[in-house]
Amino acid sequence: MIIAIDGTVASGKSTAARRLAQRLDYLYINTGLMYRGVAAYCRQHGIPTNDQRAVALHVKFLAVDLRNEPDGQHVHVNDHDLTAAATAPDIGAFVSDIADNPTVRDVLVRAQQRLGRAAGNAVLEGRDIGSVVFPDAPVKFYVDADVRERARRRLADDIKKHPALTLDEVEAATRARDERDRTRPVGALMRVPDAILIDTTHNAGPDATVDQMLAHLAKSTNPIRPINPIRPTDDCHA
Ligand code: DC
């Protein structure tokens, strides 16, 4: 059973996906972390992320693994834990270059399909899960929220490190990331027709989003019910 979760940046999809997987005892697969891992590897090895050919040559020889650790999911590239570099605040533009690269997408999509099939029961989260990675997934969610609200959430996270940041600036950056995600030549973010829209604009937190998802799962023709109680979770990168 594959549950596909796609959605916009800062919509709350990552935390909700991880908690949903915990509640159901499914494997959680954060596909964005895989793109981030490749970006971190390229930076560390002096491979320009916007040089599509150079990146394509290297990516075929990379083993990109996700591992669950007590503080959340980690990405290992060729057996090196690159999680810190992959989630560094300045990685964004480099990851976007990597996510635009058709060869990288081809390699990572296959890896994600292998991981999902091997697990049997998995929650995969990203931008193209319902459209490309598992188009036949029986349950698909598309998570979104009003852009101003998403900017507010992002600002709340970033303000400690960047006290001069304004809400308007964060909103402009959020719109720009949406645009890049939606207009990517391959694997673009989209809401496929069979995806259930989860609007998190007015949700107080990720558990409200998980509850919305569980309510949909309970209504489906083959109801899926949580087997784990709500437990306090540590949030790593969103
Ligand atoms: O969800 P995130 O911010 O960690 O994703 C990192 C980048 O990878 C972001 O630029 C979107 C891209 N991405 C993608 O193109 N396809 C996915 N399935 C997951 C992420």
Side-chain angles (χ1 to χ4, degrees):
M1 174 70 178
I2 297 290
I3 298 178
I5 301 183
D6 294 301
T8 50
V9 60
S11 59
K13 65 184 185 320
S14 294
T15 309
R18 188 160 44 76
R19 291 192 189 185
L20 179 69
Q22 252 172 13
R23 296 282 305 274
L24 299 172
D25 221 8
Y26 280 27
L27 180 70
Y28 167 55
I29 301 175
N30 176 349
T31 62
L33 195 51
M34 299 174 85
Y35 290 93
R36 289 172 175 274
V38 174
Y41 177 92
C42 289
R43 282 185 89 186
Q44 284 189 354
H45 291 79
I47 305 159
T49 51
N50 60 1
D51 182 340
Q52 292 211 339
R53 276 191 182 192
V55 174
L57 279 175
H58 283 85
V59 76
K60 294 180 179 159
F61 301 100
L62 298 183
V64 183
D65 294 324
L66 294 177
R67 298 189 194 164
N68 286 320
E69 315 232 346
D71 64 339
Q73 198 149 67
H74 283 225
V75 60
H76 290 240
V77 181
N78 290 355
D79 277 331
H80 292 285
D81 186 344
L82 298 191
T83 313
T87 56
D90 63 342
I91 193 97
F94 302 102
V95 187
S96 291
D97 289 342
I98 293 297
D100 284 348
N101 187 315
T103 309
V104 174
R105 298 203 77 90
D106 194 46
V107 169
L108 293 188
V109 164
R110 283 168 208 259
Q112 291 154 13
Q113 290 169 335
R114 275 197 303 273
L115 283 171
R117 289 194 188 114
N121 291 328
V123 175
L124 283 94
E125 173 247 316
R127 305 292 192 287
D128 59 343
I129 309 302
S131 55
V132 175
V133 184
F134 281 106
D136 297 330
V139 180
K140 298 177 185 176
F141 292 112
Y142 183 85
V143 186
D144 201 0
D146 175 74
V147 67
R148 193 76 172 167
E149 176 56 25
R150 291 189 282 129
R152 254 185 225 111
R153 294 174 191 166
R154 219 350 93 83
L155 183 66
D157 282 346
D158 293 352
I159 194 87
K160 284 177 218 106
K161 280 185 196 151
H162 305 283
L165 212 54
T166 68
L167 185 57
D168 284 342
E169 283 167 351
V170 181
E171 183 181 329
T174 307
R175 285 184 189 278
R177 283 201 56 188
D178 284 350
E179 180 67 10
R180 191 151 182 185
D181 280 347
R182 289 199 177 107
T183 56
R184 182 162 286 129
V186 273
L189 171 67
M190 66 173 78
R191 180 185 168 196
V192 289
D194 54 338
I196 299 158
L197 175 66
I198 303 284
D199 185 340
T200 70
T201 307
H202 302 292
N203 287 357
D207 286 327
T209 306
V210 175
D211 286 343
Q212 272 178 289
M213 291 174 169
L214 287 172
H216 283 288
L217 293 176
K219 277 190 285 184
S220 65
T221 38
N222 290 313
I224 305 166
R225 298 189 196 289
I227 63 165
N228 285 327
I230 297 172
R231 350 179 242 236
T233 43
D234 42 331
D235 290 328
C236 72
H237 30 86

